[in-house]
Amino acid sequence: MTEITAQLSTQLSRVRLHSRRTAPGGADRTPTLVAVAHGSRDPRALATVTALLDRVRAQRPGLPVRLGHIELNAPLLPDVLARLHGDAVLVPLLLSRGYHVKHDIPAMAAAASHVRTRIAAPLGPHSLLAEALHARLTEAGTRPGAPGTGIVLAAAGSRDPDSAADTARTARLLSARLGGTPVVPGYAAGAGATVEEAADGLRTRGLRPVLASYFTAPGRFATASAAVLEAAAAPLGDHPALARLVLHRYDQALRSRTGSDHKEAGAATVAV
């Protein structure tokens, strides 16, 4: 019996749970979540994104989380990827499809030939964004669901029609959450109605325009948009719903794996 017990103990010591990926030597290989922010010269932007990622870490302790920027702020995404090894999921802290999501981020990921990367979908559109926008409007004391109110969903804007479609979808989600209150997009740049034009359109319908700030963090466009209307909410920032959405996009990208364990290092796949 003693010999059998010893043999059984030896065999059990070699068992590894298949749900954990390990590198040679037993090091944990949980894919790193790399949050990809645009970057801004506004110092509040970096502080806000840092606070958001602190919430992400608090919601999922033990998950390796890094921050990389497309431009304007350090650390830049290529520098972050240069220091990583193994697998990484890049989660754009961007609210719609556009040039950065379709071109810049994939190019930076592909250039990191030593890392296996997957690129998650951008944060928007999603019902969790409508939850966070509703909360920010309420915090600003704007009574967003009150009769006679209309919401301008102020966004950065893009020439990419997919970006406009994503923003329009978020506008519909927010309208539904507010019980049918009209929500119209207004853009700081790119194609489509400006924030001023969107507000004027609501006024012609006899509605009082209120601004929902559809920006991840403070910055030039967010500040300029908020200046248009007296009743304006703060950007999404580190709202808990946004942190949950970052993790949802990470998990979604991992679930979409189709044989990616067999990909060569450096291959980048976009999950949509």
Side-chain angles (χ1 to χ4, degrees), residues 1-271:
M1 286 298 295
T2 301
E3 182 178 352
I4 293 173
T5 302
Q7 290 177 354
L8 182 59
S9 297
T10 299
Q11 293 299 321
L12 288 174
S13 69
R14 296 172 183 168
V15 173
R16 295 292 182 268
L17 295 178
H18 295 291
S19 60
R20 271 180 86 89
R21 302 187 63 207
T22 56
D28 191 357
R29 288 187 58 194
T30 299
T32 299
L33 189 163
V34 181
V36 185
H38 181 276
S40 172
R41 292 185 176 87
D42 189 323
R44 297 174 297 170
L46 179 56
T48 299
V49 173
T50 299
L52 171 61
L53 296 188
D54 285 343
R55 283 195 183 274
V56 170
R57 294 184 184 98
Q59 289 186 15
R60 190 167 299 179
L63 176 66
V65 178
R66 303 288 183 270
L67 170 64
H69 295 89
I70 297 170
E71 59 183 358
L72 300 176
N73 285 118
L76 293 172
L77 178 58
D79 296 332
V80 173
L81 293 177
R83 295 191 292 269
L84 290 180
H85 297 280
D87 295 353
V89 177
L90 279 55
V91 180
L93 301 184
L94 305 172
L95 300 172
S96 63
R97 292 167 292 171
Y99 190 85
H100 292 313
V101 170
K102 295 181 178 181
H103 300 281
D104 287 339
I105 297 175
M108 293 177 188
S113 59
H114 63 292
V115 183
R116 281 183 298 270
T117 57
R118 296 188 69 81
I119 303 173
L123 298 183
H126 198 276
S127 58
L128 284 170
L129 290 173
E131 177 183 335
L133 287 164
H134 186 186
R136 293 301 187 215
L137 285 163
T138 302
E139 290 167 2
T142 59
R143 299 181 63 222
T149 298
I151 307 297
V152 176
L153 185 65
S158 170
R159 294 184 178 88
D160 190 318
D162 286 338
S163 178
D166 289 346
T167 303
R169 172 61 178 158
T170 297
R172 293 193 293 272
L173 290 170
L174 180 58
S175 176
R177 184 177 179 87
L178 297 176
T181 295
V183 179
V184 295
Y187 299 102
T194 65
V195 174
E196 294 93 335
E197 290 168 345
D200 287 342
L202 289 173
R203 292 188 185 100
T204 62
R205 297 163 61 180
L207 299 171
R208 171 179 174 261
V210 170
L211 186 136
S213 188
Y214 195 42
F215 298 94
T216 307
R220 178 167 61 93
F221 285 160
T223 300
S225 299
V228 173
L229 293 174
E230 182 178 349
L236 295 161
D238 64 338
H239 191 276
L242 204 62
R244 296 201 305 273
L245 181 53
V246 170
L247 288 168
H248 170 71
R249 291 304 192 205
Y250 172 86
D251 292 337
Q252 187 180 47
L254 290 180
R255 286 196 302 270
S256 72
R257 308 176 76 101
T258 53
S260 59
D261 285 342
H262 303 290
K263 292 182 181 294
E264 294 297 324
T269 304
V270 180

